Amino acid sequence: MRKIITKIAICILFYTLGFISSNIYIEKRNEKIKNNVLYQVKIDVEKINLRKEVDLNKSSIIKEVYKDEVFDVVKYFEGNSYNWYNIIYEEGKTGWIASGKENSWVKVENKERCSNGK
């Protein structure tokens, strides 16, 4: 009986330590992402697809974002046909939205308020 209780206690301890270390990792990742905010963008069209990667044809769609939603931008990429913004869409999660070069689908906001704004 004592061996069983000891094994259960050890399992609980390892589970707890794993949970704590994964939460620490997530918190550090979230903090790193927040520290890299360049500026914000506001969606200026009815909806835009949020993608895993910078590729309209091959990248899967994570979700849709909608008019007047505001997002923190952590990376920017200027492609041949589109400007791409890597945005924080949930705590610790990022994805890419495209915007037309001729007619922008987003409006850059709060550039001066963000500490890393360029």
Side-chain angles (χ1 to χ4, degrees):
M1 183 70 165
R2 182 178 266 177
K3 287 182 181 181
I4 293 173
I5 292 173
T6 303
K7 286 181 180 180
I8 291 171
I10 290 171
C11 287
I12 291 171
L13 177 65
F14 280 119
Y15 175 78
T16 303
L17 290 175
F19 180 74
I20 290 170
S21 65
S22 71
N23 279 347
I24 291 170
Y25 170 78
I26 291 169
E27 286 175 15
K28 285 182 179 179
R29 183 176 189 281
N30 290 347
E31 191 63 32
K32 183 178 178 182
I33 290 171
K34 286 179 186 175
N35 287 338
N36 289 323
V37 172
L38 302 174
Y39 46 85
Q40 294 179 314
V41 290
K42 183 177 185 178
I43 308 302
D44 210 25
V45 293
E46 289 306 311
K47 68 179 177 180
I48 298 176
N49 290 327
L50 178 70
R51 298 178 181 276
K52 282 187 167 188
E53 299 169 15
V54 178
D55 191 322
L56 285 179
N57 300 315
K58 297 178 185 173
S59 181
S60 59
I61 297 170
I62 298 170
K63 64 183 267 177
E64 294 175 336
V65 293
Y66 298 95
K67 187 172 181 75
D68 295 331
E69 288 186 292
V70 177
F71 298 97
D72 290 334
V73 175
V74 293
K75 292 180 189 170
Y76 171 79
F77 174 75
E78 190 170 326
N80 291 334
S81 302
Y82 302 96
N83 294 324
W84 289 87
Y85 301 88
N86 189 227
I87 62 169
I88 301 171
Y89 66 94
E90 287 179 15
E91 186 74 26
K93 295 182 180 180
T94 61
W96 291 90
I97 56 171
S99 179
K101 286 193 165 214
E102 298 286 321
N103 298 316
S104 183
W105 306 332
V106 300
K107 180 179 167 189
V108 174
E109 295 195 336
N110 300 321
K111 200 167 188 175
E112 66 283 346
R113 283 189 4 191
C114 297
S115 59
N116 296 334
K118 296 178 180 174

